[in-house]
Amino acid sequence: MAAAVPVRVRLAPSPTGTLHIGTARTAVFNWLFARHLGGAFLLRIEDTDRERSRAEYTENILDGLRWLGLTWDEEPVVQSQRIEAHRAAIEQLLASGHAYRCFASDAELAAMRERQQAEGRAPRYDNLHRDLTPGQQQAYIDEGREAVIRFRIDDGATITWNDLVRGEMRWAGSDLGGDMVIARRAPADAIGDPLYNLVVVVDDAAMAISHVIRGEDHIANTGKQLLLYAALGLTPPLFAHTPLILNQEGRKLSKRDGVTSVGDFRAMGYTAEALVNYMTLLGWSPPEGLGERFSLEQAAAVFSFERVNRAGARFDWDKLNWLNAQVLHGLAAGELRQRLLPLWQARGWADDGPAADAGWQEDLCALLGPSLSLLADGVDQAAPFFETPEPDEAALALRADSASRAALTALLEQLPEGPLEADSAQGLLGAAATAAGVKKGVLMKGLRAALLGSLKGPDLLTTWLLLHRLGSDRERIAAAL
């Protein structure tokens, strides 16, 4: 895909909450598009909601993007620091007649909406104050009324654009809800806080954004913003509206569905590689040959909007879990250790004694790795190696079995104090079973129950050798007896 102008895209999150999975997926598509065409991926923090914006949310968003590997190319723009540029644009619109002051009170607007609803019409501003005379304006000012600033929208206008995902889009001006508020209420000689649609246009133009890639819930805003671009004499970017992420019932994924923030997925044990891989698949079909398991860089090499779907993408936990398992299973033992070690240390494990040995920890990771679906599984499955487990009912029953006890007693008598290798361990199992007059399988079940407190678990021989290196196998066998 050739670009006529330098490709510059942006993610523009509002720091009124943590990084949402939908925002992160938008970031992924922006990043892939920019990297595919050798362009720039930029950030703008849209913090003009003063009451709800928090610095900790900004840091959460930036940290989440870094964790996902979605690096940006320039210093983030902070929208609240550009309010003078936004007000200058509003002054330009007032001077050109594209905007005006509206003195309608909240009570009048509420009464207007009630009338429209009673008449079966959709609520919208009726443009009542669009053409006030200077005298009428002064009368409202003398009453002490404040004013919002509205942008004129011609009901007869038709707004069109070629969407990179959806093709030709067409909106009627009459469907945009009447003249749009672009600045909050303020004294008549002032300009109140500029609002979303206005500031987005001004900032995108200042940042030389070439393509605006965002969710389909912004489609109606695009019609309004294109009118603002024209009124301000600015060249609009190209637009791509991506499908929403839906829950299993087909509704937009929301907090009601539970886990929706990137931080939540991270805390649950999902890897960044699996999460960005899965988010790419939420609405994009990879070309033949790429498969479903790929890196960001591999996806960027072939990314295009021709393969982005229009229909909403349903969130599939099974697919995400499968991808995460594929990532974990592909990690070398040393890399898996690096990821699990902070989780182990948070439990007070792996900081001292034989269990602090990096080689022992890597061998434990080699044992557990093939069975992990989440990093959190690497905590649960490692627990019996760091802490003596409480036996479950099946293990308790086996510990009480006379044949099992005889076999464990024979094994304990022959167990060496020094190192134990796989071949000699196998020999010990056979000799102890013979000495106790039981089948080797009886001893192995009893040994598993003694070491792990359960009849389920990873490979028994490797488990035993790892615990022997800690010196805890003898203690556990003795305790079981």
Side-chain angles (χ1 to χ4, degrees):
M1 181 187 298
V5 296
V7 169
R8 290 172 62 83
V9 300
R10 50 71 168 175
L11 182 73
S14 298
T16 55
T18 55
L19 180 59
H20 186 273
I21 190 73
T23 304
R25 201 280 304 271
T26 298
V28 168
F29 280 7
N30 274 275
W31 190 95
L32 292 174
F33 182 74
R35 294 295 178 261
H36 180 70
L37 295 177
F41 171 61
L42 311 178
L43 289 182
R44 182 171 69 237
I45 305 301
E46 296 193 338
D47 61 342
T48 49
D49 186 340
R50 298 179 183 179
E51 293 183 0
R52 297 171 58 218
S53 293
R54 299 284 185 274
E56 57 266 30
Y57 291 144
T58 297
E59 188 51 43
N60 174 274
I61 292 167
L62 297 181
D63 181 62
L65 293 173
R66 291 188 196 100
W67 177 69
L68 291 170
L70 301 173
T71 51
W72 50 94
D73 298 304
E74 297 177 9
E75 192 69 20
V77 172
V78 179
Q79 196 167 67
S80 62
Q81 297 175 1
R82 291 185 36 77
I83 193 167
E84 294 308 316
H86 306 148
R87 287 189 168 134
I90 293 173
E91 289 174 350
Q92 176 184 336
L93 294 172
L94 287 169
S96 65
H98 286 97
Y100 62 93
R101 286 183 166 84
C102 169
F103 296 88
S105 67
D106 290 338
E108 289 169 338
L109 292 173
M112 176 193 69
R113 286 191 291 270
E114 288 178 7
R115 286 195 307 272
Q116 291 168 340
Q117 288 174 336
E119 295 167 2
R121 293 184 291 150
R124 53 167 285 151
Y125 179 60
D126 60 7
N127 303 342
L128 179 65
H129 286 189
R130 174 188 277 189
D131 298 310
L132 294 177
T133 66
Q136 288 172 320
Q137 291 186 44
Q138 190 59 51
Y140 283 127
I141 293 171
D142 291 343
E143 285 181 24
R145 289 203 189 193
E146 296 183 329
V148 301
I149 296 176
R150 290 185 181 270
F151 176 77
R152 297 175 185 267
I153 295 179
D154 179 4
D155 281 354
T158 299
I159 306 103
T160 62
W161 74 91
N162 185 44
D163 195 282
L164 297 181
V165 173
R166 297 166 190 282
E168 183 178 349
M169 300 291 294
R170 183 178 298 269
W171 276 74
S174 57
D175 291 334
L176 297 180
D179 292 345
M180 165 177 52
V181 179
I182 57 175
R184 288 192 176 93
R185 199 176 301 279
D189 59 349
I191 294 175
D193 290 339
L195 294 177
Y196 173 76
N197 281 306
L198 183 284
V199 300
V200 163
V201 167
V202 173
D203 288 346
D204 280 345
M207 294 170 69
I209 297 301
S210 64
H211 298 74
V212 170
I213 303 164
R214 57 190 179 187
E216 67 178 58
D217 48 341
H218 282 283
I219 288 177
N221 287 331
T222 301
K224 298 173 183 178
Q225 290 165 15
L226 284 169
L227 293 175
L228 285 166
Y229 275 106
L232 290 167
L234 300 172
T235 301
L238 299 178
F239 291 90
H241 289 93
T242 59
L244 298 179
I245 301 176
L246 309 177
N247 62 16
Q248 290 301 308
E249 288 72 44
R251 297 188 298 271
K252 182 179 178 181
L253 195 69
S254 69
K255 290 182 179 179
R256 291 188 298 274
D257 297 300
V259 178
T260 57
S261 82
V262 168
D264 289 338
F265 285 95
R266 186 176 182 180
M268 289 172 66
Y270 290 99
T271 64
E273 297 97 319
L275 195 55
V276 293
N277 187 163
Y278 182 62
M279 286 190 291
T280 304
L281 293 171
L282 281 171
W284 181 71
S285 301
E288 189 174 346
L290 183 61
E292 292 188 312
R293 170 73 185 99
F294 47 76
S295 68
L296 275 175
E297 290 71 21
Q298 289 170 321
V302 296
F303 184 82
S304 71
F305 283 108
E306 285 80 2
R307 304 190 70 86
V308 173
N309 306 317
R310 298 182 185 183
R314 294 198 184 217
F315 198 92
D316 184 344
W317 285 98
D318 290 338
K319 176 63 71 64
L320 175 58
N321 290 337
W322 177 82
L323 285 169
N324 204 66
Q326 296 305 302
V327 171
L328 293 177
H329 298 171
L331 294 178
E335 173 62 22
L336 182 56
R337 172 185 172 270
Q338 291 297 322
R339 301 195 188 202
L340 287 175
L341 188 57
L343 305 180
W344 291 346
Q345 291 173 332
R347 295 288 191 97
W349 302 338
D351 281 332
D352 52 35
D357 177 68
W360 182 88
Q361 293 170 3
E362 285 193 17
D363 289 344
L364 176 59
C365 288
L367 172 64
L368 302 181
S371 64
L372 303 184
S373 292
L374 299 172
L375 279 173
D377 296 337
V379 176
D380 295 337
Q381 294 182 28
F385 292 84
F386 293 106
E387 298 176 348
T388 302
E390 289 293 325
D392 60 25
E393 290 185 9
L396 285 171
L398 197 59
R399 290 182 182 192
D401 179 74
S402 59
S404 176
R405 291 178 62 82
L408 285 176
T409 300
L411 179 64
L412 189 60
E413 290 172 352
Q414 299 180 36
L415 194 61
E417 293 286 352
L420 185 63
E421 301 298 331
D423 289 344
S424 54
Q426 287 281 19
L428 279 177
L429 289 172
T434 299
V438 301
K439 292 182 178 180
K440 188 176 178 181
V442 172
L443 172 55
M444 295 186 72
K445 284 186 178 180
L447 181 59
R448 185 182 291 279
L451 295 179
L452 297 178
S454 172
L455 301 189
K456 299 177 181 178
D459 178 74
L460 177 60
L461 190 63
T462 308
T463 296
W464 179 21
L465 294 175
L466 283 167
L467 290 171
H468 185 81
R469 286 160 65 181
L470 297 183
S472 60
D473 59 335
R474 180 181 297 277
E475 296 173 4
R476 295 189 185 189
I477 295 171
L481 292 170

